[in-house]
Amino acid sequence: MIINRRQFIINTLITAVAGSALMACGQSTTSKSITPVEIDPHTTCDLDGMLLADYPGPKAQIFYEGKESPTFFCDTVEMFNTLLSPEQVKAVSAAYVQDMGKADWDQPRGNWIPAKEGCYVLGSKRHGSMGPTIASFAHEADAKKFVGQWGGKFLRYAEIKPDMVDLSGGALHDTRM
């Protein structure tokens, strides 16, 4: 098959444009990494307005696509309830919890880890800001040591289900009222 010069130039241009477009697909102009934001004395929970620094137990934060600042939670149960809710349709860029193997339970600061990489303890005797909580850890050994001391069940991120993080229970099951 013989191609004339004009057809050769057109084919070359089409190939060059297509190749450039394909190469650009793998490059992101917004490849900014998302890092957790530290809480301060004025940081409030986006669900209930509580000051995070005033309460014990692990805290959490979610970054939604298109937002530079996170949504804060005063408790990991609130974060899981939000993420596992069928109404949750916002795209999540990142979620972080505190590593309670390193953080002080009574005044947790720093020690943020990606929520999906964490190990968790459900049903321990330790309470967070909203009562019973899900303790979060970076390392399995720390989580299992916590279970030995405080009780509870060891879980991976994917094992936490919506019925484990129901927020409607507090007042409904309080027999002192």
Side-chain angles (χ1 to χ4, degrees):
M1 174 163 107
I2 299 175
I3 299 176
N4 65 30
R5 183 174 181 191
R6 183 173 185 212
Q7 188 62 43
F8 175 77
I9 292 173
I10 290 172
N11 287 345
T12 303
L13 287 173
I14 290 171
T15 303
V17 169
S20 296
L22 286 173
M23 286 184 357
C25 288
Q27 299 171 351
S28 173
T29 57
T30 59
S31 62
K32 186 173 97 173
S33 68
I34 298 172
T35 56
V37 175
E38 188 51 57
I39 61 173
D40 63 38
H42 307 289
T43 306
T44 59
C45 176
D46 284 64
L47 291 183
D48 54 32
M50 293 173 63
L51 291 170
L52 273 63
D54 289 352
Y55 297 93
K59 311 297 182 252
Q61 55 186 285
I62 297 175
F63 285 85
Y64 293 105
E65 275 190 32
K67 287 189 70 182
E68 289 187 28
S69 59
T71 296
F72 284 101
F73 300 91
C74 58
D75 195 285
T76 53
V77 175
E78 291 177 336
M79 178 202 70
F80 278 110
N81 179 271
T82 299
L83 290 174
L84 298 174
S85 171
E87 295 86 21
Q88 165 55 27
V89 294
K90 294 187 224 175
V92 174
S93 298
Y96 294 96
V97 294
Q98 290 178 300
D99 175 9
M100 300 312 290
K102 292 182 179 176
D104 176 350
W105 188 274
D106 294 319
Q107 294 185 328
R109 299 291 183 274
N111 300 295
W112 296 99
I113 60 169
K116 287 185 177 182
E117 295 175 15
C119 300
Y120 298 90
V121 177
L122 173 70
S124 79
K125 294 176 187 141
R126 295 290 321 245
H127 285 194
S129 63
M130 301 302 289
T133 192
I134 300 174
S136 48
F137 298 90
H139 304 288
E140 184 175 331
D142 290 337
K144 289 187 174 178
K145 179 180 174 186
F146 183 87
V147 168
Q149 185 174 3
W150 299 101
K153 180 180 178 181
F154 175 86
L155 297 167
R156 300 268 180 212
Y157 179 89
E159 295 174 307
I160 299 173
K161 303 299 177 204
D163 63 330
M164 298 175 182
V165 293
D166 182 10
L167 296 178
S168 66
L172 293 176
H173 303 292
D174 190 347
T175 58
R176 297 173 293 163
M177 295 176 96

